[in-house]
Amino acid sequence: MAQADKTSEGDRGVASPFPEIVELNVGGQVYVTRHATLLAVPNSLLWTMFGQRSPAELSRDSKGRFFLDRDGVLFRYILDYLRNLTIVLPDYFREKASLQKEADFFQLHDLSKRLRLSTMSKDDSLTEEVCRGGDPEEAAALGTALASTSMAVSPGSTPNPRSPSLDPRKAGFITIGYRGSYTIGRDIQTDHKFRRVARITVCGKTSIAKEVFGENLNESRDPDRPPERYTSRYYLKYNFLEQAFDQLSEAGFHMVACSSTGTCAYTSNDPNEDKVWSSYTEYVFCRD
């Protein structure tokens, strides 16, 4: 039995100073993975950190987790790539360029190359052939074939560059909501902030919301919802209602309903002091 144990230790080689299960804090997002997963790609940054260095050399957070000051949401795709050596992105993925920067930082050169040379489909997600590491020339040929197919028309038919099956402008509804406040002072000449918008929320089908607002949409609270599902967890990165209305108008939407509630409070017990009004408003937009 002792001889068997000795042989087993020899097969494993020198014991690693890192635990088998590693906890990571990446930009505030916590991940738990196997140590072997972090070593999946030789000569990558994670391979160097967790294979060539000691735990004492790496930064940790207050709870002892290894800390990386990178995009915590996008790191899930980095980790998936290390697990499977392939990359599959959600539909309507808008952060390919940002993910490529993360791949460059972590020195995952093959992943970076795939992202750079990838052929984009109509929904702006990576095609399956490229995601699985197909030949770049084949990927380029595939992109040309897809483009030719989308423009092809049968004899005698009217050319239509926007095929209904590929038309991103789907009919649907989007609800815009915002909480705001404004102050009315005793002196009407006083320069008050009459409207202060805290956050503009977006409710509706995921694919339509991403089509209309693109990079202005904050998806961190619901990053991987399927495109045909509905969500009420998105909000905009800016606080100008008119900018949201402009984007909706440009996308072919028109307002069909709105509602608002409001409350009034005094800044002090003196009724002569400034009044602060708070309100919640929703606007419903439709595209036929």
Side-chain angles (χ1 to χ4, degrees), residues 147-193:
S148 299
T149 302
S150 65
M151 294 297 294
V153 295
S154 58
S157 64
T158 302
N160 181 9
R162 293 176 60 195
S163 171
S165 62
L166 298 177
D167 191 350
R169 297 170 67 91
K170 298 178 181 178
F173 291 85
I174 286 182
T175 300
I176 298 295
Y178 84 94
R179 296 187 183 278
S181 64
Y182 59 93
T183 303
I184 299 179
R186 290 177 298 171
D187 183 358
I188 62 174
Q189 301 299 323
T190 303
D191 184 16
H192 290 284
K193 292 185 176 180

Side-chain angles (χ1 to χ4, degrees), residues 99-174:
L99 181 56
Q100 184 181 334
K101 292 180 180 178
E102 296 301 301
D104 289 336
F105 176 81
F106 287 106
Q107 299 173 21
L108 298 171
H109 304 302
D110 183 64
L111 174 59
S112 179
K113 181 179 179 181
R114 295 185 194 187
L115 292 167
R116 184 173 64 255
L117 299 179
S118 60
T119 301
M120 304 303 295
S121 64
K122 281 287 185 179
D123 60 5
D124 205 26
S125 61
L126 294 178
T127 60
E128 182 178 359
E129 289 79 3
V130 175
C131 289
R132 298 190 178 278
D135 184 84
E137 294 183 0
E138 293 181 0
L142 174 63
T144 302
L146 288 173
S148 299
T149 302
S150 65
M151 294 297 294
V153 295
S154 58
S157 64
T158 302
N160 181 9
R162 293 176 60 195
S163 171
S165 62
L166 298 177
D167 191 350
R169 297 170 67 91
K170 298 178 181 178
F173 291 85
I174 286 182

Side-chain angles (χ1 to χ4, degrees), residues 16-25 30-39 46 50 55 58 60 64-68 75 79 83:
S16 170
F18 291 93
E20 180 184 0
I21 304 300
V22 178
E23 290 189 57
L24 303 172
N25 177 347
V30 177
Y31 292 90
V32 180
T33 188
R34 291 185 178 276
H35 178 246
T37 300
L38 301 174
L39 306 182
L46 292 172
F50 292 93
L58 304 182
R60 294 178 182 257
R65 295 176 292 225
F66 295 105
F67 177 75
L68 296 168
F75 186 76
L79 201 55
R83 290 170 178 149

